Amino acid sequence: MDTLYLVKLGEIILKLGNRKEFEDRLKADLKRRLGGALKRLELSHGRIALEVELERAAFVEAALARTPGINGFARAIRTEKQPEAVLAAALDIARAEVAQGKRAFKAESRRADKSFPLDSYGLSSEIGHLVLENCPGTRVDLHAPQFTIHAEIRDKAYVYASPIQGIRGLPTGSQGRGLLLLSGGIDSPVAGYLMARRGLALDAVYFHAYPYTSAEAQEKVIALARVLAGYTGGLSLYTIPFTATQMRIKQKAREESTTLMMRAAMMELAERLAFKIGANSLVTGESLGQVASQTAENLRFTNSRVKLPVFRPLVGLDKEETIELARKIGSYNISVLPYEDCCVLFSPKHPILRADMTRESGAYEELELGPLLDEALKGAERKAIPFSVPGF
Ligand code: ATP
Ligand code: MG
């Protein structure tokens, strides 16, 4: 047996110029994510109707709740556009809600097809009366309802209650592909999620300083990439061996500028990888002033090594806000596992807070990292992280 979902699209509706392209992307993305669970997909007037296998409804809901470009969705009944049919569906829906102990309700109708004989106000009040008559104990509450019965008269009539929120944003890939610098920390997975929501398809790069950082640290990054894959629809995780570069920096750089040099080298390597894989931007979890390497002056310096735009969606958030998001997307519990990704061996006691561009640029050149970076890039290993949602 199949069941139906009505999906509300996000900001796509505002994109007058290239709306069709956005819609096509979302349709293709949904087909890819839902795979065999999807039986039929129809788009009309800013809504997508999905017929899916009933037994896989829980998977479908988890997938839809993570797909960029979707504002919300609900399991719906689709009927012919006749008042009797719509009212019967509304009563069925109400009974299911009442069976869960809910009593206070309201009805909300939308009539996109003006030839339907009842206007939206008329339809809502008919639904209200019918439910009050047939479901003992129910009452209308317009301000704080426990459930709302929605009726939408479009190509067909759709009736539903309890819509589930989506993550909104723009369809995956509509803004091209970004490369996320993914560490084992709390911040970078959240940054990836926020940019995935803005329509970037994402791949990720992790700089691994084995044996100074452990195999467990790498496993942790893979686990984080799996969480992200639920939002991005799958991704490639590149691991770049970074030990030789770090050792050179440790040996040759002034102690207080080692972190800065390391960050600059990471940016440079990330950009070179980005060009290779066709990414148009870099994404980091940096936030202004959070640590020494994230002051405006130091960001200017690390940024000066690259030409691509660098997206830092956490730049204006404080740590509590980031943690809240990390919990929401399901990355927090992994991020707080104890394996450090940045070895204390490489962290100076008194890092520079305000890099002098001329001085540090000269110092960076003197490290002669070129051949080491070439080697590091050659050693990059790619791991495919397919789309999946937790529990399925
Ligand atoms: P996070 O919690 O994301 O690790 P952080 O507050 O610890 O961030 P830094 O360690 O200075 O800050 O890193 C800033 C950003 O640089 C990270 O958000 C991430 O995008 C990138 N980054 C840091 N270390 C690595 C690494 N080993 N591999 C890939 N990217 C990294
Ligand atoms: Mg970190």
Side-chain angles (χ1 to χ4, degrees):
M1 216 178 90
D2 291 346
T3 188
L4 184 92
Y5 283 89
L6 188 65
V7 178
K8 265 192 214 181
L9 309 194
E11 277 174 60
I12 299 176
I13 296 173
L14 305 173
K15 307 280 166 197
L16 296 175
N18 52 356
R19 174 169 166 169
K20 176 147 190 337
E21 183 207 319
F22 277 53
E23 290 176 341
D24 288 347
R25 266 189 198 284
L26 183 58
K27 283 198 289 191
D29 192 28
L30 283 172
K31 285 179 188 161
R32 203 165 37 232
R33 289 177 192 236
L34 300 180
L38 180 64
K39 294 295 160 210
R40 225 177 125 89
L41 182 159
E42 269 170 57
L43 183 142
S44 88
H45 300 99
R47 296 277 192 277
I48 291 178
L50 297 175
E51 284 168 41
V52 308
E53 273 180 11
L54 180 59
E55 310 78 62
R56 302 196 58 198
F59 160 73
V60 169
E61 290 186 12
L64 293 178
R66 287 171 172 74
T67 304
I70 291 178
N71 266 14
F73 57 93
R75 215 166 181 168
I77 297 178
R78 176 164 51 193
T79 72
E80 292 307 319
K81 288 189 275 189
Q82 283 136 10
E84 310 75 51
V86 177
L87 288 168
L91 188 55
D92 279 351
I93 298 262
R95 284 191 168 125
E97 297 292 316
V98 170
Q100 294 171 35
K102 300 180 193 171
R103 294 290 177 269
F105 76 100
K106 69 173 176 179
E108 257 186 36
S109 307
R110 237 196 253 185
R111 188 178 60 149
D113 174 358
K114 303 293 178 208
S115 70
F116 189 74
L118 292 167
D119 65 11
S120 34
Y121 178 79
L123 180 55
S124 294
S125 55
E126 294 261 332
I127 293 174
H129 284 121
L130 186 71
V131 173
L132 287 172
E133 262 167 41
N134 289 280
C135 303
T138 52
R139 62 178 190 281
V140 171
D141 187 334
L142 298 180
H143 302 293
Q146 292 166 315
F147 68 96
T148 301
I149 302 169
H150 300 263
E152 297 190 11
I153 314 299
R154 312 179 155 277
D155 55 321
K156 299 263 179 174
Y158 297 88
V159 189
Y160 59 92
S162 313
I164 300 170
Q165 271 232 329
I167 59 168
R168 303 185 292 274
L170 300 170
T172 300
S174 60
Q175 303 307 311
R177 177 171 298 278
L179 179 62
L180 169 68
L181 284 78
L182 180 63
S183 71
I186 294 169
D187 300 335
S188 43
V190 175
Y193 158 75
L194 289 173
M195 295 317 298
R197 239 175 47 148
R198 283 319 296 166
L200 278 184
L202 279 185
D203 287 321
V205 59
Y206 168 60
F207 297 99
H208 192 39
Y210 188 82
Y212 299 101
T213 53
S214 60
E216 284 92 342
Q218 190 176 3
E219 285 304 316
K220 187 176 157 182
V221 172
I222 294 172
L224 289 171
R226 286 208 181 95
V227 171
L228 271 179
Y231 299 93
T232 64
L235 55 91
S236 293
L237 172 65
Y238 295 88
T239 299
I240 293 188
F242 200 58
T243 314
T245 305
Q246 268 197 331
M247 294 310 288
R248 169 72 60 82
I249 292 170
K250 170 93 181 143
Q251 284 154 8
K252 287 187 72 175
R254 298 186 334 279
E255 199 211 341
E256 68 268 26
S257 69
T258 46
T259 306
L260 206 57
M261 298 295 139
M262 193 181 86
R263 303 276 319 126
M266 281 185 185
M267 294 296 274
E268 200 171 328
L269 272 172
E271 184 179 67
R272 285 167 65 173
L273 178 60
F275 286 136
K276 267 175 78 163
I277 63 173
N280 65 13
S281 52
L282 303 176
V283 179
T284 79
E286 290 160 317
S287 167
L288 188 62
Q290 194 187 75
V291 291
S293 60
Q294 297 172 26
T295 62
E297 290 79 3
N298 289 358
L299 289 173
R300 177 186 173 199
F301 173 69
T302 51
N303 227 21
S304 72
R305 307 309 311 177
V306 297
K307 296 207 165 54
L308 285 178
V310 181
F311 297 131
R312 300 180 175 90
L314 307 187
V315 74
L317 301 193
D318 69 28
K319 197 76 186 185
E320 288 305 314
E321 292 166 320
T322 302
I323 288 175
E324 205 176 292
L325 282 169
R327 288 189 200 279
K328 193 181 116 186
I329 66 171
S331 60
Y332 183 77
N333 288 340
I334 302 168
S335 290
V336 295
L337 292 172
Y339 317 109
E340 278 302 318
D341 86 298
C342 203
C343 187
V344 279
L345 179 66
F346 299 103
S347 303
K349 276 200 202 66
H350 302 290
I352 297 181
L353 292 179
R354 299 188 207 299
D356 177 295
M357 274 297 282
T358 317
R359 179 175 183 191
E360 299 309 329
S361 301
Y364 186 81
E365 297 304 333
E366 280 168 24
L367 296 173
E368 297 179 319
L369 295 178
L372 292 178
L373 299 188
D374 293 341
E375 277 306 301
L377 200 61
K378 270 191 217 142
E381 278 175 23
R382 174 181 171 272
K383 184 177 174 65
I385 313 282
F387 168 72
S388 71
V389 291
F392 296 93

